[in-house]
Amino acid sequence: MIPIPAHTKVLLAAGVTDMRKGFNGLSALADKVLSEDPFSGHLFVFRGRQGDLIKIIWFDGQGACLFSKRLERGRFVWPSPATRKVSVSSAQLAMLLEGIDWRAPLRTWRPLVAG
């Protein structure tokens, strides 16, 4: 898992992205499409057309980093293209990377009364 500093935003680019893009192309999308500074240190997450591949780009202070993951089975749960970008927590990103529906996770049961 990617260690995410406390005040780092995680932004999903809604819709699909051409997964042939690398550092420069994804940075340009973060700047132009998401209207965010690609060198801010925030994580920008993009999904391919088939839904089984994602790429995450971020700037760690020394250079650009690129993480990619492809699911062997299933698809990544993704927001509708109408929203353009969605901010998620680091816990939701962890669920997304595991192929879990991050939008409505099932919480464990919590007791109503202590003791």
Side-chain angles (χ1 to χ4, degrees):
M1 181 59 211
I2 303 166
I4 302 174
H7 298 291
T8 302
K9 285 196 261 182
V10 179
L11 298 165
L12 306 181
V16 297
T17 301
D18 180 1
M19 287 290 106
R20 295 175 293 181
K21 294 184 183 300
F23 291 102
N24 295 337
L26 295 176
S27 294
L29 287 177
D31 184 30
K32 303 292 185 211
V33 176
L34 301 178
S35 302
E36 296 282 341
D37 178 12
F39 305 110
S40 63
H42 300 311
L43 279 73
F44 302 100
V45 187
F46 303 91
R47 188 185 83 154
R49 181 167 304 284
Q50 294 180 355
D52 63 343
L53 177 65
I54 62 168
K55 287 186 178 181
I56 303 173
I57 190 165
W58 74 99
F59 186 76
D60 69 355
Q62 297 175 338
C65 302
L66 182 64
F67 173 86
S68 65
K69 181 170 184 175
R70 181 177 34 222
L71 294 176
E72 292 298 318
R73 286 185 290 168
R75 303 286 179 254
F76 291 106
V77 176
W78 211 247
S80 70
T83 56
R84 203 173 107 185
K85 67 180 174 182
V86 175
S87 181
V88 298
S89 69
S90 58
Q92 289 172 315
L93 176 62
M95 286 186 276
L96 171 71
L97 291 175
E98 292 297 322
I100 299 170
D101 188 349
W102 54 271
R103 299 169 300 175
L106 296 175
R107 307 273 186 222
T108 58
W109 178 79
R110 186 180 174 128
L112 299 176
V113 182

